[in-house]
Amino acid sequence: MSLVTIILPAYNAEKTIARAIESALSQEYTDLEVIVVDDGSSDSTLNVCKALADKDNRLKVLHINNSGPSAARNYGLSRANGEFICFMDADDEMSSTMISQMTSNMQDDIDLVACGYKVRSNNGEQAFEQRLDDKTYSNDHLYEFIGKLQEAKAFNPLWNKIFRRSIIDGNNLIMDTSVDMGEDFLFVVDYCEKSKKNYKTLSSPLYNYELSNNGLQVTANRNKNLDRRLSQLEQLNKIFNQRNYPMDIIYKEKLRILYTSLLESSDLRILLNEVNKKEYLNDFINLDVKLSGKYNIFLKILKIKHIGIVYLSIKLFKLVKKIQGKSFNWG
C-alpha cells in the first residue's frame, strides 16, 4: 500500500474538527498520515486535535501563527511524507471508502483522480450532490476533463481529488497566499498543466462538504468576486490558447461566472453597471456555443443589453433558486 497524506487546515473549528479527523482516520484504507495544521486558533481546536493524536499515531498536529488556509496547507505539504496527497476542510467529512477508491484508481498511467461529492447545509440537511462519470481522460484531452468537472462544480475544490506528491514537489507547486479566495482553483490548474499522464473521474459522491453561513466562501462573495473569478480564469485561458484547445469550455465558464456572480451579488444594480462599464457582455453577444437550460436563457437575456430586463431576470433566477432550496453562496 502507498502512504496517503491527508492535509487538514483548521482555524477555530472546535465544534467540527473531531468529526472531520475521525472520518479521515476511520478510512477503510489504513496506510495514512493525517496532518492537521492549526492556524493559530483562539478556541480549543488545538487541544481537541492533540487529544485525538494521543490515541492514533497516524495523526500529526502542527501549529502556526494565524496566516490563512493557504499558508496552513503549504506548511502541511512541506511536512507530508505520502506518495499521494489529499486535502479536506475542518467542517467536512470523507466517506469511509473515499481513500481506498481514490488510490485504487490512481494507476501508473493516472496523475489525478476526482470524485463526486455531497453538499450539506449548515443545519445538517443534505442540499444536493454532484456526480461525475466513471471515465478516464487522456492527457491531450485535458480540456474535456476540465469541462466535465466545471459543469459539476467539481474542478475548483481540492478536497474531491487525490494528487501525486512527486508532481507537487517536482514543480514546487504551492497555494498562492496572496489571494483570499480561489487559490484552490489556481493550484489545480497548475497541477493539471504539469501532469504528463491521464486523468480520471469517479461517479461516487465520496466527500461531504458542509456549507457555512460564516465561511470564507460567503464573505468573499460580497467583494469584487466577479473580477477575481475572471482574473483567475485567465490562467486556464492561457493553457487553452497554448495547447490550441477548443475555447468553448472557457466561454461557458465565463458565462457561468457572470451568472453566479450576479446571483450572489448583494447590490445587483451596482454590479450590473460595472458589467456594462467594463463591457463584460461584449464577450457573449456573438457567442456561438451550445448551451443548455438556464445558461441558454441567461445568454439570450444578456444579448438584449437592457439593464432593467437583466435586473428583473436575475431576481427571478434567484427566486427560483430559493424555491429549489439552493439559495446559498458558492465560491
Side-chain angles (χ1 to χ4, degrees), residues 242-257:
Q242 290 169 356
R243 300 189 181 186
N244 293 316
Y245 285 159
M247 298 302 292
D248 286 12
I249 291 168
I250 297 296
Y251 294 146
K252 288 179 181 179
E253 184 63 9
K254 284 184 177 179
L255 188 62
R256 189 192 70 81
I257 286 172

Side-chain angles (χ1 to χ4, degrees), residues 126-321:
Q126 182 175 324
F128 66 96
E129 67 178 41
Q130 296 284 22
R131 287 185 175 269
L132 304 171
D133 297 325
D134 288 310
K135 186 174 180 178
T136 299
Y137 298 83
S138 64
N139 184 270
D140 58 356
H141 281 69
L142 171 61
Y143 62 92
E144 290 185 0
F145 173 75
I146 292 174
K148 289 297 183 181
L149 264 63
Q150 283 179 331
E151 287 178 9
K153 293 184 179 179
F155 180 73
N156 295 27
L158 298 168
W159 34 254
N160 70 326
K161 300 175 179 68
I162 187 168
F163 304 86
R164 289 189 183 276
R165 186 164 65 90
S166 59
I167 294 175
I168 294 172
D169 290 351
N171 294 282
N172 297 314
L173 301 183
I174 59 173
M175 308 294 160
D176 187 346
T177 58
S178 69
V179 297
D180 293 329
M181 197 175 185
E183 73 286 348
D184 47 359
F185 168 80
L186 296 174
F187 181 87
V188 175
V189 170
D190 281 344
Y191 183 92
C192 287
E193 182 184 18
K194 302 302 182 184
S195 300
K196 304 300 182 185
K197 299 177 183 177
N198 302 326
Y199 315 92
K200 192 163 187 177
T201 55
L202 306 180
S203 63
S204 300
L206 301 174
Y207 190 88
N208 296 307
Y209 176 81
E210 182 163 315
L211 292 162
S212 170
N213 286 332
N214 300 313
L216 179 61
Q217 75 272 16
V218 176
T219 55
N221 281 339
R222 298 179 185 138
N223 297 298
K224 298 184 178 179
N225 215 14
L226 176 59
D227 287 341
R228 187 266 300 174
R229 284 169 165 153
L230 291 177
S231 175
Q232 291 177 347
L233 185 62
E234 279 303 305
Q235 184 166 333
L236 193 58
N237 191 33
K238 290 177 183 178
I239 296 173
F240 273 57
N241 280 321
Q242 290 169 356
R243 300 189 181 186
N244 293 316
Y245 285 159
M247 298 302 292
D248 286 12
I249 291 168
I250 297 296
Y251 294 146
K252 288 179 181 179
E253 184 63 9
K254 284 184 177 179
L255 188 62
R256 189 192 70 81
I257 286 172
L258 186 56
Y259 171 85
T260 303
S261 298
L262 287 171
L263 255 66
E264 291 173 350
S265 175
S266 58
D267 197 324
L268 187 54
R269 290 191 182 276
I270 290 178
L271 186 56
L272 280 172
N273 285 328
E274 181 182 346
V275 167
N276 285 334
K277 181 179 179 181
K278 296 185 177 181
E279 299 184 335
Y280 288 138
L281 297 182
N282 292 354
D283 292 337
F284 306 107
I285 297 304
N286 298 313
L287 190 62
D288 187 24
V289 296
K290 293 181 180 179
L291 300 169
S292 60
K294 62 186 178 185
Y295 293 120
N296 184 42
I297 298 171
F298 181 60
L299 181 57
K300 289 179 179 179
I301 293 170
L302 290 182
K303 287 182 176 181
I304 298 173
K305 297 193 74 172
H306 188 290
I307 192 168
I309 294 176
V310 176
Y311 177 83
L312 292 175
S313 300
I314 293 296
K315 287 290 187 181
L316 180 59
F317 276 121
K318 292 179 76 170
L319 178 60
V320 171
K321 194 173 182 180

Side-chain angles (χ1 to χ4, degrees), residues 9 43 49 61 97 105 304:
D43 64 2
C49 294
V61 181
T97 63
N105 282 278
I304 298 173

Side-chain angles (χ1 to χ4, degrees), residues 60-72:
K60 300 177 181 178
V61 181
L62 309 176
H63 175 78
I64 61 173
N65 293 329
N66 183 242
S67 305
S70 292

Side-chain angles (χ1 to χ4, degrees), residues 91-108:
D91 48 1
D92 300 342
E93 294 175 78
M94 293 178 166
S95 69
S96 62
T97 63
M98 178 172 177
I99 300 301
S100 61
Q101 291 194 54
M102 299 286 268
T103 52
S104 66
N105 282 278
M106 198 71 155
Q107 302 297 319
D108 291 342

